[in-house]
Amino acid sequence: EVQIVESGGGLVQAGGSLTLSCAASGSTFDDYTIGWFRQAPGKEREGVSSIHIGRDDTWYANSVKGRFTISSDRAKNTVYLQMNSLTPEDTAVYYCAAARSASYVGPDEKEYSYWGQGAQVAVPS
């Protein structure tokens, strides 16, 4: 069974950086897309970024383009989300999820079958 574990959340000052990690296990992941989602207090969960492991295609939400970078280490079955220039609006629980797909990259939660437990990111104002 596929398992997803996030790590790397924490408290960071505005303007700072943080890297989240998503470790996947239980399968080979060349035909998977790994996505990052986030849910801020009182808001719906939204897609942040995703990467197709085999194709290396990526997708970013407009709100994070130019500030966040997603990457993968296929040997470690791990996906990273490098977050720079963080603002209080980035405060949320960040979730990692996996979708088995030939090519899909995007924010549609219905595509993702496996989810991690979430990691809190707090950027105080």
Side-chain angles (χ1 to χ4, degrees):
E1 182 179 348
V2 173
Q3 292 188 322
I4 304 293
V5 178
E6 305 100 334
S7 61
L11 178 71
V12 60
Q13 296 303 310
S17 298
L18 200 63
T19 298
L20 300 178
S21 299
C22 172
S25 62
S27 181
T28 56
F29 291 94
D30 285 354
D31 57 348
Y32 275 76
T33 294
I34 302 295
W36 284 100
F37 297 78
R38 67 185 181 186
Q39 187 166 23
K43 295 187 177 181
E44 293 188 356
R45 189 161 57 189
E46 62 176 358
V48 175
S49 183
S50 57
I51 184 168
H52 190 279
I53 300 301
R55 298 167 60 90
D56 228 16
D57 294 335
T58 59
W59 171 86
Y60 294 94
N62 288 334
S63 58
V64 306
K65 278 181 183 177
R67 300 188 300 124
F68 291 11
T69 302
I70 193 168
S71 62
S72 68
D73 184 333
R74 294 171 71 171
K76 296 182 178 179
N77 284 344
T78 299
V79 170
Y80 304 97
L81 185 69
Q82 172 70 41
M83 305 183 293
N84 298 327
S85 302
L86 286 162
T87 74
E89 288 67 39
D90 296 312
T91 294
V93 177
Y94 283 71
Y95 297 90
C96 181
R100 186 162 190 175
S101 171
S103 62
Y104 178 78
V105 284
D108 188 349
E109 292 191 22
K110 296 190 297 295
E111 296 287 337
Y112 295 84
S113 301
Y114 308 98
W115 291 79
Q117 78 287 353
Q120 177 71 55
V121 172
V123 187
S125 55

